[in-house]
Amino acid sequence: MSPVAAIVGMGDAYASKADRKDPLQLATEATMAALADAGIGKHQVDAVFTGRSPWADKRSQWSNIFISHLQMPVTLNSEITLHGAGLTSTIAVAAQMIAAGAAEYVLCVQSDATELFVDAVAMGSEADADPQFEVPYGPTIPSLYAQAACRYFHEYGLTEADLADVVVANQRWGAHHPHAAKRKHGEIDREKVLASPYVATPLRRWMCSTWGGGTGGALVVTSPERALQARDPVWVLGYGSATTHEYLTDRVNMRDGRFAGLGEFPNLTHTATVEAARQAYARSGLTPSDVDMVQLSVNFAHMGPIILEDLGFAKKGHGIDVYRDGRTGPDGDLPADTNGGWLSFGQPGISCNMDSLVEAVRQLRGTALGLAPARKPRTVLVQGAGGMLAAAGVMLLSGHDTGRP
């Protein structure tokens, strides 16, 4: 369990309708906090990586716009565009640069504030639906994901009541996080979920994430050796990523693939997380039994059990048992989505995977803004997904007491 890199600085920033900030403001605020946390100046940053341009600021080459805004010339900057999975991959690329001796400090940053500046529903449908085979039918993101939910129900016998248990579990965390979009609703029960109206059958309103306000997050990555001098580093133990397609109809038409474990094609019940997790476990030497906490990309309730299965925490069709048995709660052995996750914390836009990484670092450091689990985690797995089941990234992180080289 030898670390490949370390996070030595973390910063976050938040916006709301009452306190509007655009993506550049959020990214700048988070970066300044991360640099201060790392104890370095911006002139010491060698490279900057972001995900794709924020939905609330669609200018191309956004990473270059950001470094120009900060007046921070670097040797390399780029956007890692695996949809919402790109932020885990920014850390992976940072680790590779550091291992190659091409950088000492790398900044990974992302922000967004979709609902504060654009029509998110219209933009989402336009961006993530196939222009030839899907857009003519007027799909929304929930209607595309609902197709996977229907297939999952058909193959494994789950029901809407099962998905309600996922929502209740995530909202228990979200009700206590100061920046969670659904905090105002408090803790809820299954009946409240099942009484909410349909958005796209079988997904009801509570089973869908909301856009939330705005968030920014920044992480400073360096070598394990340099991190020994830092205050409270978080060790990067392993990572993996995979992409299988772009549009949902592409996935349905797939007949074979290079990745083992994704099931017989075509299918909508396995995701690229299977392969990303395989890489992360192999590179870290860890297994699911070594993981104390998970931060997942559960944008719709059925994705919770599917992702847990793809990560190896349950057999296919049995991921719901992890929620039903209370394992993902504060007293469970696998706390999940401790800021409320994408379902309750919300998806401010492309920054949602960075929100998961920030939450992982906070939990490992014992500085959570919301609830903390009964047992402080030693190892946290962060999984990011992107597009219509299109891409995935997995990162394994460890606190200062377990991951030192």
Side-chain angles (χ1 to χ4, degrees):
M1 198 165 60
S2 180
V4 295
I7 296 168
V8 294
M10 185 276 290
D12 48 357
Y14 303 92
S16 65
K17 291 180 179 179
D19 183 20
R20 287 165 57 93
K21 301 173 187 175
D22 66 28
L24 273 179
Q25 289 175 287
L26 289 162
T28 299
E29 184 178 334
T31 295
M32 292 299 100
L35 294 175
D37 186 40
I40 65 171
K42 65 181 183 180
H43 64 283
Q44 293 174 266
V45 174
D46 300 301
V48 172
F49 296 116
T50 71
R52 71 184 191 188
S53 59
W55 284 31
D57 186 350
K58 297 293 286 183
R59 289 177 289 176
S60 60
Q61 195 57 39
W62 195 84
S63 61
N64 209 61
I65 291 170
F66 172 71
I67 67 161
S68 178
H69 178 71
L70 258 66
Q71 299 184 19
M72 184 172 64
V74 293
T75 58
L76 178 65
N77 76 93
S78 189
E79 301 173 8
I80 310 296
T81 55
L82 278 75
H83 288 280
L87 274 301
T88 50
S89 295
T90 63
I91 299 175
V93 176
Q96 292 162 9
M97 280 195 73
I98 291 164
E104 292 186 356
Y105 292 100
V106 178
L107 175 69
C108 301
V109 60
Q110 189 66 64
S111 61
D112 212 341
T114 304
E115 75 161 0
L116 302 183
F117 293 93
V118 300
D119 182 341
V121 175
M123 182 176 287
S125 302
E126 178 183 348
D128 288 331
D130 187 302
Q132 183 175 5
F133 298 110
E134 296 171 9
V135 169
Y137 299 96
T140 62
I141 292 177
S143 72
L144 293 168
Y145 267 88
Q147 296 179 54
C150 288
R151 188 65 196 178
Y152 190 57
F153 280 16
H154 173 75
E155 290 191 19
Y156 300 106
L158 272 74
T159 66
E160 290 181 26
D162 292 317
L163 298 194
D165 292 339
V166 178
V167 177
V168 170
N170 272 47
Q171 182 63 11
R172 184 180 181 190
W173 291 103
H176 299 278
H177 194 286
H179 300 291
K182 296 181 181 178
R183 181 192 183 193
K184 60 185 178 183
H185 300 290
E187 296 191 28
I188 59 173
D189 56 23
R190 179 188 279 187
E191 288 68 31
K192 186 177 184 71
V193 177
L194 296 177
S196 61
Y198 284 115
V199 174
T201 309
L203 300 175
R204 295 179 179 271
R205 180 183 294 164
W206 265 104
M207 298 173 185
C208 307
S209 62
T210 187
W211 286 105
T215 62
L219 302 172
V220 176
V221 184
T222 192
S223 68
E225 295 74 23
R226 195 169 289 106
L228 290 173
Q229 310 302 317
R231 177 181 60 86
D232 214 8
V234 168
W235 308 101
V236 179
L237 302 182
Y239 49 80
S241 63
T243 301
T244 54
H245 64 284
E246 175 59 15
Y247 303 118
L248 193 69
T249 44
D250 296 334
R251 176 58 183 263
V252 173
N253 289 323
M254 290 177 71
R255 290 295 180 270
D256 54 39
R258 61 174 293 188
F259 302 133
L262 292 185
E264 183 179 352
F265 286 129
N267 77 71
L268 295 175
T269 58
H270 298 69
T271 73
T273 297
V274 174
E275 171 60 18
R278 184 197 66 77
Q279 296 171 22
Y281 290 140
R283 287 168 176 155
S284 65
L286 302 180
T287 68
S289 63
D290 297 309
V291 176
D292 302 316
M293 176 181 286
V294 291
Q295 307 293 342
L296 309 175
S297 55
V298 183
N299 48 357
F300 298 94
H302 63 291
M303 295 309 300
I306 288 176
I307 291 168
L308 286 174
E309 294 157 7
D310 288 350
L311 290 170
F313 294 105
K315 292 182 179 179
K316 188 54 71 174
H318 293 276
I320 190 60
D321 295 337
V322 182
Y323 289 95
R324 187 181 294 127
D325 295 341
R327 295 181 58 192
T328 66
D331 298 321
D333 67 319
L334 191 67
D337 294 338
T338 54
N339 63 354
W342 297 12
L343 270 181
S344 289
F345 182 84
Q347 286 185 262
I350 201 64
S351 58
C352 50
N353 192 199
M354 179 59 82
D355 298 335
S356 299
L357 288 162
V358 165
E359 178 66 11
V361 172
R362 283 194 170 279
Q363 290 286 351
L364 286 167
R365 288 178 164 185
T367 60
L369 297 179
L371 286 179
R375 180 170 58 93
K376 182 182 177 183
R378 297 173 55 179
T379 304
V380 178
L381 182 151
V382 181
Q383 178 266 352
M388 301 300 106
L389 310 178
V394 173
M395 184 75 57
L396 286 159
L397 303 173
S398 180
H400 67 279
D401 57 339
T402 56
R404 287 184 180 274

